[in-house]
Amino acid sequence: DHSAGPTADDMQSDNSSEDRPILKTLIVKLVDNSDPAASKDPGAELCVGFHAQQVRRNSSCKKRSEATAWNEEFELPLSEQGADELTVVVFHHRPQAHEEEYGRVDIKLDFLPWDFPTPHAITPHVRNAAGELVPHPDGAVFNLMLTASSAPYLSAQGKGVPSLLAGGMGLYVKVLELMDYTAEMVFCAEGDRKDVML
């Protein structure tokens, strides 16, 4: 009888679709930076990491100079409400030394309009002797272009968002974690360390 109401399976299917995460796309372009203290740190390199919604993307590393151009673009997941936070971490490399964190800053993204590139300049912060976050004394400024895109995350790269979401939030987060881990396990040649776009 085709006139019968929805079955239990139908209702379960409808409920599961309501639980699916709705993730849009945050497009982050690392444009350039100004670094007035670069001459005091010869041979050192800086690279920038971006973290949102449990996903990380890393720029290539560039030698410090008073003005450095990156022009590198990354995509990260963004909630439909746009009330996310983007963490930007700058890393410092010296020859024959371990990588160190140069500074970081957290950016609340609720100010971003949808589908409109917005320039945003940041100054990395460090903790002072009192444990307070203050601007890095070097005075470096990094220029970003941020776009809250209404396009579903990963769709532009052919990852099949509906199939990824079929298992609900838990599975989707696991997929993102696996992708993130895979990206971190790929190493590029020294001097050309670039993030893997997934």
Side-chain angles (χ1 to χ4, degrees):
D1 184 359
H2 295 291
S3 64
T7 66
D9 289 340
D10 293 333
M11 296 179 66
Q12 182 176 4
S13 176
D14 290 342
N15 290 336
S16 64
S17 65
E18 292 177 0
D19 294 335
R20 295 174 182 172
I22 301 175
L23 294 175
K24 303 302 185 182
T25 304
L26 174 65
I27 302 173
V28 180
K29 183 173 184 179
L30 173 59
V31 181
D32 55 25
N33 85 324
S34 60
D35 189 358
S39 60
K40 301 177 183 178
D41 194 14
E45 296 180 334
L46 296 179
C47 52
V48 186
F50 303 96
H51 186 192
Q53 292 274 358
Q54 302 184 33
V55 175
R56 290 184 294 274
R57 297 286 181 257
N58 298 316
S59 76
S60 61
C61 294
K62 303 279 190 181
K63 288 187 177 180
R64 292 187 71 174
S65 66
E66 292 186 0
T68 304
W70 267 273
N71 290 314
E72 297 179 11
E73 192 171 285
F74 312 93
E75 292 186 5
L76 296 104
L78 179 70
S79 68
E80 190 174 39
Q81 293 76 19
D84 299 63
E85 186 173 86
L86 173 67
T87 299
V88 183
V89 184
V90 180
F91 295 98
H92 180 265
H93 299 264
R94 282 194 181 95
Q96 310 302 321
H98 294 294
E99 176 184 272
E100 298 177 337
E101 183 175 312
Y102 175 86
R104 66 171 57 212
V105 63
D106 295 322
I107 306 171
K108 299 286 187 182
L109 300 175
D110 51 2
F111 71 94
L112 288 178
W114 286 103
D115 300 309
F116 189 83
T118 303
H120 191 74
I122 61 167
T123 298
H125 283 55
V126 294
R127 293 198 180 276
N128 61 16
E132 303 167 328
L133 279 173
V134 296
H136 196 289
D138 283 358
V141 175
F142 293 77
N143 295 307
L144 309 177
M145 187 71 72
L146 304 176
T147 306
S149 171
S150 57
Y153 179 61
L154 297 179
S155 66
Q157 300 172 43
K159 297 297 182 180
V161 172
S163 63
L164 284 176
L165 299 184
M169 175 64 86
L171 174 61
Y172 188 62
V173 169
K174 290 297 183 184
V175 170
L176 291 181
E177 289 176 349
L178 176 60
M179 291 164 54
D180 194 25
Y181 173 77
T182 304
E184 290 182 345
M185 292 299 292
V186 178
F187 295 90
C188 296
E190 186 72 19
D192 190 30
R193 294 181 288 267
K194 294 186 178 180
D195 179 58
V196 177
M197 296 301 294
L198 296 171

